[in-house]
């Protein structure tokens, strides 16, 4: 089963890290990434640019409304995500715990992915 691990953190905290602090977090995360890659479980991963670069399209009206910035007003922002192949939720939680140890603070939201491909009637991994 594919799981999305959505990485939330306070953007003002992460953006205030020095280059050395950021490099140290990325080095710790690389250890987890390498382990997942060696096991063939790491899919796409992305570090998102700051929310100041975001644009939101509100689709609840016609024509849709385009807004600069993120949709949600929250204390923590979505800063990135991983796609990992896990046997079950317990394995996905173990993966998120390893990522959390490397990059403390914030929260990880785990969601199973229903990947729909053209010509397929059921989600991949389902």
């Amino acid at each position: 089963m594919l799981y999305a691990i959505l990485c939330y953190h306070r953007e003002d905290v992460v953006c205030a890290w020095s280059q050395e602090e950021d490099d140290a977090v990325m080095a710790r995360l690389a250890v987890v990434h390498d382990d997942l890659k060696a096991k063939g479980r790491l899919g796409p991963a992305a570090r998102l640019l700051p929310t100041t670069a975001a644009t939101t399209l509100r689709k609840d009206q016609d024509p849709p409304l385009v807004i600069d910035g993120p949709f949600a007003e929250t204390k923590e922002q979505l800063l990135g995500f991983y796609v990992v192949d896990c046997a079950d939720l317990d394995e996905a939680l173990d993966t998120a715990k390893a990522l959390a140890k490397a990059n403390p603070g914030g929260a990880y939201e785990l969601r199973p992915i229903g990947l729909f491909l053209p010509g397929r009637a059921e989600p991949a991994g389902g």
Side-chain angles (χ1 to χ4, degrees):
M1 172 61 84
L2 293 177
Y3 281 84
I5 300 178
L6 306 174
C7 311
Y8 291 89
H9 206 305
R10 289 194 47 179
E11 188 173 65
D12 58 337
V13 171
V14 173
C15 289
W17 289 344
S18 68
Q19 187 63 51
E20 292 77 20
E21 290 169 316
D22 190 67
D23 290 346
V25 168
M26 296 309 290
R28 291 190 304 267
L29 287 171
V31 173
V32 180
H33 299 169
D34 291 344
D35 180 58
L36 291 169
K37 281 192 279 188
K39 294 175 181 172
R41 296 181 39 224
L42 182 62
R47 187 176 195 184
L48 301 175
L49 293 177
T51 56
T52 55
T55 300
T56 298
L57 184 124
R58 293 291 314 254
K59 57 185 183 141
D60 55 354
Q61 62 188 39
D62 191 21
L65 177 64
V66 178
I67 305 166
D68 288 339
F71 171 76
E73 293 293 328
T74 62
K75 291 183 180 180
E76 295 177 335
Q77 292 77 35
L78 177 63
L79 300 185
F81 64 88
Y82 294 89
V83 174
V84 294
D85 189 4
C86 298
D88 53 28
L89 178 58
D90 288 334
E91 189 172 50
L93 283 168
D94 288 342
T95 301
K97 287 174 185 175
L99 291 166
K101 186 175 180 182
N103 185 9
Y108 289 116
E109 178 183 343
L110 288 73
R111 284 198 210 172
I113 296 175
L115 182 63
F116 293 90
L117 303 172
R120 292 185 60 154
E122 62 186 67

